[in-house]
Amino acid sequence: KVLAPFKDNCFKDAACNEDEVCHLFSCKKLGCAVGYEVQNHECVYSPFEKDPKKAKYVYLFVPLGGWDSDEEWENAVLSRADFMADIYPIRACKDKVSMVAVPNSWVNKRCKIGNVAVLGGLCPSIFSIATCGKEYAKSIGINKVERVIGFSSGTCNGSIQGYAFFNFDGAYAQKTIVNERLEQPAHEVAHTYKICDEYSYKFWEIQ
């Protein structure tokens, strides 16, 4: 027996077999209720639409900087997407939002991400990032994309962790090595919706 995962509809001390999940106060074979999905032998609530063709709002993550493996890339996107679901009104739009991790192999073969000068250093162009994401979307039958996020495993400029423009559908964010910040993509995407920086009154006033 193993301790069953504690979810909203479970009680803490329920013990189930490894191929079962605590559900509605009983142990059941893995097979999740609507709105839940199996992750690491648990039924976990997911607000996302699995098929991006059915979603009203599609967010694409474009890999930059050389991720070690597809698994590392997909896990990084999943954790950032979950964070976005927690702070954006995504859970209220169930089955209307899809998060897509563009494959490394596709970007390496099909995209040329140019560089631009940002605060004295060269960083990936968010225009190139947006174009890459939209081309991938069309290749899998998606005609409308809400936002494209270029997400890098490395740094382009030591003084910044991401950037975006108001009212533009592309953004750039990078993974921080120390004190990894899950919020960086969400922060940059918020700027595309005309949300100002709030960590500095000076920046907020300028924006």
Side-chain angles (χ1 to χ4, degrees):
K1 297 284 185 179
V2 295
L3 187 65
F6 176 48
K7 301 300 175 189
D8 292 342
N9 54 1
C10 296
F11 54 103
K12 290 183 179 180
D13 57 353
C16 299
N17 294 318
E18 290 188 19
D19 63 343
E20 296 176 327
V21 65
C22 173
H23 184 64
L24 297 178
F25 302 101
S26 65
C27 295
K28 292 187 176 181
K29 293 289 184 180
L30 282 174
C32 299
V34 175
Y36 286 72
E37 62 183 22
V38 178
Q39 291 181 9
N40 297 323
H41 304 291
E42 296 182 8
C43 281
V44 179
Y45 179 74
S46 174
F48 300 119
E49 168 57 55
K50 287 292 186 183
D51 184 355
K53 295 179 184 177
K54 297 179 180 178
K56 184 175 181 179
Y57 306 101
V58 178
Y59 293 79
L60 290 105
F61 285 78
V62 173
L64 304 170
W67 295 85
D68 290 338
S69 66
D70 289 339
E71 182 180 9
E72 181 196 21
W73 164 241
E74 290 168 3
N75 286 338
V77 171
L78 178 62
S79 61
R80 273 70 182 180
D82 284 343
F83 184 91
M84 290 174 70
D86 288 336
I87 66 169
Y88 285 9
I90 289 175
R91 296 195 187 281
C93 301
K94 187 181 176 303
D95 297 335
K96 294 183 179 180
V97 179
S98 184
M99 298 283 184
V100 178
V102 179
N104 273 287
S105 57
W106 197 92
V107 173
N108 292 336
K109 291 179 181 178
R110 303 288 295 274
C111 292
K112 292 183 179 180
I113 307 294
N115 291 325
V116 294
V118 179
L119 297 177
L122 289 178
C123 289
S125 163
I126 57 176
F127 299 99
S128 298
I129 291 168
T131 298
C132 176
K134 292 173 186 177
E135 287 179 356
Y136 175 75
K138 288 183 179 179
S139 75
I140 60 173
I142 300 171
N143 295 319
K144 185 177 182 298
V145 173
E146 180 70 12
R147 292 294 186 268
V148 180
I149 307 106
F151 188 36
S152 177
S153 61
T155 61
C156 66
N157 184 327
S159 61
I160 66 170
Q161 295 180 344
Y163 62 94
F165 296 139
F166 287 174
N167 287 334
F168 186 68
D169 54 7
Y172 169 80
Q174 59 193 34
K175 178 183 178 182
T176 52
I177 305 303
V178 180
N179 297 325
E180 186 172 342
R181 299 176 61 189
L182 298 179
E183 72 268 22
Q184 199 61 44
H187 176 97
E188 302 306 336
V189 170
H191 285 319
T192 70
Y193 293 113
K194 301 177 71 173
I195 303 298
C196 299
D197 283 314
E198 296 186 348
Y199 55 78
S200 166
Y201 179 75
K202 179 181 178 180
F203 287 163
W204 180 87
E205 192 173 37
I206 292 172
Q207 293 168 350

